[in-house]
Amino acid sequence: MNSWKQIKKRLRRIKRPLLSLGLLVLLIMLLAIGYHTSATGSSDPVIAKLREEGQDREVYLTRTYVCGQEQLNLGTMSANAIIELMLRHPEWSGKTDEAGKIWITEEIEDLSATCKKNGYISVDKNGNLTLYDGPPKEEKVMRTFFQVDIDSMESSLPKSVLDQLHQGIRVSDVDEYHSVLSTFSDYAMEQSEKVMKRKS
């Protein structure tokens, strides 16, 4: 009887660590399953569809930059080649259109070549801070950011800065781009960060 009581005491002492160990093992197993799913891409609907149908498809890669976009036609690829490409780049996202073409998007934290070459930030006639492809007078709008408080800006900034803004501030790298946006966001009519509203 005494030995049974001692065993029960020992079991109580062991029970908590065993429970913790069991939970730890379960957690590791769940994480391993989750990792395997993401590594094999089985949770990606595009990859799942490609595996299921196994058809060759036309593939397009869209590179979306902080400023600008580029589109490449990667040609017709086998299902396995597309799957391999997407698994090598898990940060890319893909979708299939109605025609069965695959559209892959890559997000790049930089300016596109077009922006680096021709990007200007200025204000449009409605007082919106705007990104132009070329000088603002050509009115080739790439993106509208936010409306600025012109009166507040004119009362606090030097005339030379305002003149430069109206003529267009050239942005040739991503740091300069963010710096200009940050400077003029202080004069945004709405202080919310609606900075990345795309102009289609």
Side-chain angles (χ1 to χ4, degrees), residues 102-128:
I102 304 286
W103 296 84
I104 297 171
T105 302
E106 178 187 8
E107 303 278 343
I108 299 173
E109 184 62 28
D110 198 1
L111 306 186
S112 69
T114 302
C115 274
K116 286 179 179 178
K117 187 178 174 185
N118 298 318
Y120 287 83
I121 292 178
S122 184
V123 285
D124 66 15
K125 57 188 176 185
N126 297 316
N128 295 308

Side-chain angles (χ1 to χ4, degrees), residues 1-9:
M1 193 73 169
N2 287 338
S3 62
W4 175 242
K5 283 183 181 176
Q6 286 174 356
I7 290 168
K8 276 169 69 171
K9 279 182 185 176

Side-chain angles (χ1 to χ4, degrees), residues 135-164:
K137 61 184 178 185
E138 294 176 12
E139 297 187 352
K140 292 182 184 174
V141 175
M142 284 198 281
R143 184 179 293 182
T144 298
F145 301 111
F146 47 79
Q147 190 169 17
V148 292
D149 184 342
I150 301 289
D151 293 337
S152 173
M153 211 165 56
E154 286 179 347
S155 65
S156 58
L157 289 176
K159 187 177 182 303
S160 59
V161 173
L162 294 170
D163 288 345
Q164 191 180 5

Side-chain angles (χ1 to χ4, degrees), residues 10 13 31 50 66 70 78 119 134 141 169 180 187:
R10 282 185 190 164
R13 283 191 209 124
L31 287 172
L50 286 166
V66 170
E70 291 173 356
S78 70
V141 175
I169 298 171
V180 173
Y187 304 97

Side-chain angles (χ1 to χ4, degrees), residues 24 78 90 97 108 176 185 189:
L24 183 63
S78 70
D97 68 13
I108 299 173
E176 198 171 28
S185 67
M189 293 288 273

Side-chain angles (χ1 to χ4, degrees), residues 160-173:
S160 59
V161 173
L162 294 170
D163 288 345
Q164 191 180 5
L165 178 63
H166 286 292
Q167 288 165 16
I169 298 171
R170 185 80 180 77
V171 286
S172 55
D173 64 56

